[in-house]
Amino acid sequence: MIESGDRVPLLDVEHLTMRFGGLVAVNDLAFQASDREITAIIGPNGAGKTTVFNCLTGFYKPTVGRLTLRRDGTEFYLEQMDGFRIAREAGVARTFQNIRLFPRMSVLENLMVAQHNTLMRASGFSLAGLLGLPRYTRAEREALDLARFWLDRVNLTDRADWDAGNLPYGAQRRLEIARAMCTRPVLLCLDEPAAGLNARESYELNELLIDIRDRIGIGVLLIEHDMSVVMQISDHVIVLDYGRKISDGDPETVRNDPAVIRAYLGTEEEEELPEEVAEDLPPEMVRALRSFEDRPHEEDGH
Amino acid sequence: MSARAGSPDFPGILRDSGLVALVALFLAFPLVGFHTIDQGGGAGMGIETRFPWVVVAVAAAFVGRFLQLALLRTHAPVAVERSLSRLGEVFQRNTVWIAAAAITFAIVLPMLPFADRRLVDLATLVLTYVMLGWGLNIVVGLAGLLDLGYVAFYAVGAYSFALFALHFDFTFWMALPIAGLFAAAFGVLLGFPVLRLRGDYLAIVTLGFGEIIRIILLNWYPVTRGPNGISDIPRPSFFGLEFTRRPAEGEVAFHEFFGLEYSGLHRIVFLYYLILALALITNLFTLRIRRLPIGRAWEALREDEIACRTLGINPTNTKLSAFAIGAMFGGFAGSFFAARQGFVSPESFTFVESALILAVVVLGGMGSQVGVVIAAIILVGLPEWFRDLQEYRMLVFGGAMVAIMVWRPRGLIAHRDPTVRLGVPQRPEPSA
Amino acid sequence: MEYFLQQLINGLTLGAIYGLIAIGYTMVYGIIGMINFAHGEIYMIGAFISFIAFLVLGAIGVTWVPLALAIVLVVAMLFTSVYGWTVERLAYRPLRGSFRLAPLISAIGMSIFLQNYVQLLQGARVKPLQPIVTGGFVIMEGGGFSVYLSYLQIIIIVVTTVLMAMFWAILSRTSFGRAQRACQQDRTMAGLVGVNVDRTISLTFVAGAALAAVAGLMVTLHYGVIDFFIGFLAGLKAFTAAVLGGIGSLPGAMLGGVLIGLIEAFWSAYFDVEYKDVAAFGILILVLVFKPTGLLGRPEIEKV
């Protein structure tokens, strides 16, 4: 629906299916993500969102499917690659739902580890580094510069020498994004980056993601439950339910898609939108839902 | 049960101590209370009782638990804990000075008036374990890979020197790099298939590997001469100068070259300096590589392997490099061992050795270089000096390993300094 | 053929003993995900307690073999399980939630401690015991070789099988078994729904130690000699058995034990006996590399 036609997508997912024994976590999923765009994957709990991420980043081998990533004119088939090669060669970086920093290393070291491959090459697989050759010193200086850039960007410069594990929660989330960015990715996958953030932090996160999209110019793939984040910053939203795609389009389209509303709120049991739920949703969505309630029910498709 | 500070709940404490005493009774009764004795002369085994010992053990358990609950409930452990942490920090902050002082002391040690043959010998032994500890620290402390078969690489190093000397007349200096390479090659050989395993599986596999190497050394008679070992391994020379009273035809001995009176101590002191140099090289290497990307990747792998993969780090190769480099230093130490003893046999490479080296690393504080030195002095030096204690050494260090893990899992001196600092004023960091 | 059959019998006997020890490894691994490195020493302590119990019974004049065996069995299980309980309480429980190598290092420390504790108390020399159960019968003869089945081997296999069956029943029928299985699945959740997790873990150690004690008793009878060092190798092999069968799986431990016993018996019979331990370790490495989940284990899905 959002096909831009003239542009080749950065990531092209086709027929992605992931089975765990009898459970089908993702079922024949297809979608695309472009650079300079924020693509959000939303869906109820257990819809298979994180599984999609795990397939993209090499933690799971998809049962079926082709995951094509295009970087500098080369096509990478992610489903055939080891996780570390996906990050190193294809340039896909990710964060985790439950933050995974290196807690007993400093904030700055976390960002330096992210530049491992660049530095490793410059250190001549440690030989040049051991001897302290200028080519390595230069590379290390550049790595520090990049780290400094992201420290500034996520507001952690004055805590750069802290142990990462000592940072408050919101700062850990930001650091994880900064660390992913230090790998110089072409696609950044964020697994619920706004989870547990307060309103202000969530706002700052939006700014950061927009900045990454517009100024760094890479593609961002986002799993998120916080609709305010999704609706405000996404260019393109994909909705999953029970491992299937039920909607795909710009935020406006998705927001008004009856299939989405059904998936989130059901049709039979809940006749009315409860106030507690309404409080958490953006007003437009509430309006859409309320109008939907007034309409006669359609036949249940599923 | 839970006592408020200041007013211990005595009935509760008594009951708890009583229970501990009861458990102690059950533990002590069969193994302490009875003693099996060999009656000799085909009379088979006899048994005698030692019930007073049981009473002592039970009473000790009761009193110990009582004191622990009544007194240590207060702030004593916290205070000790904190001062140890601070000690670690002080050590870390003044590393340069402490290291300089320690190295100076190590260098002048053989010249000090009280340095007799026994002391220098002992210091050499301690330094061997310091070197092994530093080598293993790369694997366990930095990369977080629990290697229970480190002694295998020590053995490979020792036997490669012994065999090369035996068959090809290699000198120590020619064999040293080869011993290191061989050990590293064995590290790769073992590491390649098993390093993708979970940490605790890796521990068992390395343990098994250590045993395999020992069994092979013991039974591959044509090559290793089995339990008899290989003797007459050439002693290392000082730039070609031998430490012998009467050198072979055409050779010059150390004492002749320097115009000294021949003394057996020369070789002892030389060996001491040799291991000191080898150990310092290991240390310098570790300090340097920690600041390189590979060193940081090792530590990152220890912290979170999954995160490492998403940053493009190849976990298997990175672990393999730590494993191989650790093994290499084990190999160097092994060839030194062979040169010092002049004799190798499988007996020197049992699991107990691996455990001892691991204990040196763990007790000192994983990743802490100073800690290794302190732990080596305590675990190797003290029992060797007080021979009577030797019997209890293993008992104590087994117990100490448990106690340290329970009490300070990061080791006695565990304070990690970042490998790189931003050089920008920092907000005060909350202490973890 | 006769020779083969004899090795089969020997291997099964040995395998039954390994299986008993392996159960302790596999259950502890299942419930707290750690290798109880000191388990081999618990088995060694079981052997020593059995040994001492036999001597004491002999000294006070209990000589009727079935009675002596029954008493020793109970005594060894009782006292050894206190050791199992204490080890968990002192060395492992305080470390739950610590960093991942901590319990393993603590376990190694405990293993070294127990070995030297027994050595100091009972001496380092090998302890011989006069044969208690003697006799047997020839079940097959041919080619100048007779297949011999001793009463002791029958006792070992029968006792082991009965105990395993009992244990199996306990795990699948009783509330302890339910709690045990619940904790294996998810300890936090089990705690939330009212399972006493600490007690369940303690009981797991107690049960594992009791079975190891039986293995210790059987070995004392079978070989007639023990020393403080027997726990190390037996522990490693039993662990290999647990991994081979699929760690965490009870039938796996039994199957693995029997397989390791058979492999060892046949290796000793047909190849170089000196290298039989190498064969066992080699198998461990091969299994871990090619099928880390073992024969009956469930695959682990990496949680990200």
Side-chain angles (χ1 to χ4, degrees), chain B residues 352-377:
Chain B
V352 171
E353 283 303 297
S354 283
L356 182 60
I357 305 166
L358 181 70
V360 165
V361 173
V362 168
L363 298 192
M366 269 176 273
S368 161
Q369 301 290 91
V370 184
V372 165
V373 180
I374 296 175
I377 292 173

Side-chain angles (χ1 to χ4, degrees), chain A residues 138-283:
Chain A
R138 202 179 325 117
E140 177 154 287
R141 212 176 314 121
E142 282 166 14
L144 273 172
D145 285 341
L146 184 65
R148 216 174 272 133
F149 171 81
W150 282 107
L151 282 172
D152 276 340
R153 190 60 198 78
V154 299
N155 227 341
L156 286 174
T157 306
D158 59 354
R159 283 175 280 189
D161 296 342
W162 287 26
D163 276 0
N166 282 348
L167 290 176
Y169 186 80
Q172 294 201 4
R173 284 243 173 253
R174 297 206 301 278
L175 175 58
E176 208 189 9
I177 296 175
R179 187 181 66 182
M181 287 310 296
C182 276
T183 64
R184 299 177 190 268
V186 295
L187 178 67
L188 175 66
C189 303
L190 303 171
D191 197 344
E192 297 198 24
L197 299 188
N198 63 32
R200 204 176 63 94
E201 289 171 326
S202 184
Y203 172 77
E204 285 170 359
L205 174 73
N206 287 0
E207 298 286 293
L208 176 66
L209 296 187
I210 289 170
D211 205 41
I212 287 174
R213 172 189 66 187
D214 295 344
R215 283 212 258 161
I216 313 291
I218 64 169
V220 177
L221 197 59
L222 180 74
I223 292 178
E224 191 49 75
H225 277 297
D226 186 336
M227 286 302 157
S228 68
V229 175
V230 171
M231 293 301 159
Q232 278 167 37
I233 65 169
S234 315
D235 301 294
H236 173 187
V237 180
I238 292 150
V239 189
L240 297 190
D241 192 21
Y242 294 110
R244 284 178 176 281
K245 183 164 83 175
I246 56 169
S247 185
D248 185 340
D250 59 52
E252 197 56 38
T253 319
V254 166
R255 176 181 305 169
N256 297 317
D257 188 336
V260 177
I261 298 163
R262 235 190 347 254
Y264 267 88
L265 297 169
T267 47
E268 314 275 312
E269 298 87 356
E270 284 103 356
E271 294 293 310
E272 281 180 15
L273 180 63
E275 274 310 308
E276 315 87 84
V277 177
E279 277 169 21
D280 295 340
L281 295 173

Side-chain angles (χ1 to χ4, degrees), chain C residues 191-213:
Chain C
L192 287 175
V193 297
V195 173
N196 187 339
V197 175
D198 279 343
R199 211 182 60 147
T200 309
I201 294 177
S202 280
L203 278 175
T204 305
F205 274 85
V206 165
L211 292 181

Side-chain angles (χ1 to χ4, degrees), chain A residues 77-94:
Chain A
Y77 301 118
L78 304 183
E79 77 280 1
Q80 300 170 355
M81 295 167 73
D82 279 336
F84 73 91
R85 284 184 54 224
I86 291 177
R88 188 166 75 189
E89 289 156 35
V92 178
R94 76 171 282 185

Side-chain angles (χ1 to χ4, degrees), chain B residues 61 71 78 101 108 169 175 191 196 198 244 263 271 309 319 331 339 357 359 382 392 417:
Chain B
L71 301 177
V78 184
V108 298
D169 284 330
R196 65 196 82 200
R198 299 176 29 147
T244 38
S263 158
L271 284 171
R309 276 193 263 165
K319 285 183 195 170
I357 305 166
L382 285 185
Y392 300 96
D417 227 23

Side-chain angles (χ1 to χ4, degrees), chain B residues 318-378:
Chain B
T318 309
K319 285 183 195 170
L320 204 56
S321 62
F323 212 64
I325 289 174
M328 180 181 75
F329 285 113
F332 289 151
S335 67
F336 171 80
F337 173 82
R340 174 171 176 243
Q341 304 284 320
F343 168 72
V344 287
S345 79
E347 220 173 290
S348 314
F349 307 105
T350 55
F351 170 66
V352 171
E353 283 303 297
S354 283
L356 182 60
I357 305 166
L358 181 70
V360 165
V361 173
V362 168
L363 298 192
M366 269 176 273
S368 161
Q369 301 290 91
V370 184
V372 165
V373 180
I374 296 175
I377 292 173
I378 295 176

Side-chain angles (χ1 to χ4, degrees), chain B residues 26-27 31 34-36 45 50 144 146 148 197-198 200-201 204-205 219 309 391 394-395 398 402 405, chain C residues 29 35 79 83 95 99-100 104 106 108-110 113 116 120-122 127-128 239 247 274 288 302:
Chain B
F26 267 87
L27 294 179
L31 287 177
F34 295 97
H35 180 50
T36 51
M45 299 297 291
R50 302 185 280 218
L146 190 51
L148 296 181
L197 297 176
R198 299 176 29 147
D200 34 10
Y201 279 2
I204 294 286
V205 170
N219 293 305
R309 276 193 263 165
E391 223 181 311
M394 296 302 286
L395 184 79
V402 177
M405 278 302 117
Chain C
Y29 192 92
I35 297 172
F79 283 103
Y83 273 91
L95 288 173
F99 77 113
R100 89 200 140 76
L104 196 54
S106 176
I108 293 164
M110 193 38 103
F113 178 87
N116 287 276
L120 282 172
L121 285 174
Q122 301 294 340
K127 316 251 168 232
F239 176 77
I247 197 144
E274 309 286 315
L288 282 176
E302 191 169 33

